[in-house]
Amino acid sequence: AVEPADRPLGLFFTAHLHEAEAARPPRLAVGHDRRRLDGPEARERIAQPILPHPFLVFARHDHSLATAKSIPFTRLAEEPLLLREPGSATRDVAEQAFSERGLAPKICMELGSNEAIREAILCGLGVAILGRYSIGLKRPAGLATLDVAGFPIPMQSCLVHPARKHLSAVTLAFVEMVSSEIENIVAGRMRPNTVGRGTSAERVCGQ
């Protein structure tokens, strides 16, 4: 494992409401971690791909690298990095990106939600590696995506459930609705007679 480099701010801050490992697995979940979906336990789960969910590097719109092109990954490694809590699939993707290159991230904060990371970016506290739809179906004003070598990292959002569990009729109807309407959900074109009430749609894409 690659250990975090010296923290540029001289301090380290962590805040989250619960450990991800302690959470009870739901019957139906959204996943995008290739190792968890394709690993040894994959046969115990059914994963239905619903949407490409590439991971990008987000920074504040006035960041010094916001308009730069073809930024080397080594340059990204010099930036203070905002991460999710240990056990988060989003954190795993970021850590793997650094580990594959033999580099250590300069972690400045661990936060327990993508929304908290978004606000920290907007405050100029660092950059973050997040899924395209993790902080909303539309990119919030004030954020920029950095053109870093190796990005975007291709990922796929999937609806995941235990293979041996029987899904209720309501859950099956939800899966069918999401599978058929996901492109409309992302584009904001949900029909009035479907479930698309904004909050539910964003939960599907923003885990």
Side-chain angles (χ1 to χ4, degrees), residues 27-74:
R27 297 194 63 167
L28 182 67
V30 176
H32 54 247
D33 189 342
R34 290 173 296 186
R35 288 169 294 172
R36 297 182 183 186
L37 298 182
D38 299 334
E41 299 179 359
R43 68 185 63 183
E44 300 177 9
R45 303 183 180 94
I46 294 176
Q48 179 176 336
I50 56 173
L51 181 71
H53 193 80
F55 272 60
L56 306 166
V57 182
F58 288 91
R60 201 165 76 170
H61 71 96
D62 57 355
H63 191 279
S64 61
L65 298 176
T67 59
K69 301 296 182 184
S70 302
I71 303 165
F73 197 98
T74 51

Side-chain angles (χ1 to χ4, degrees), residues 113-135:
S113 72
N114 294 326
E115 292 77 12
I117 289 181
R118 176 191 64 198
E119 294 305 313
I121 296 173
L122 291 173
C123 288
L125 298 177
V127 301
I129 298 172
L130 297 171
R132 167 65 182 82
Y133 303 111
S134 296
I135 50 180

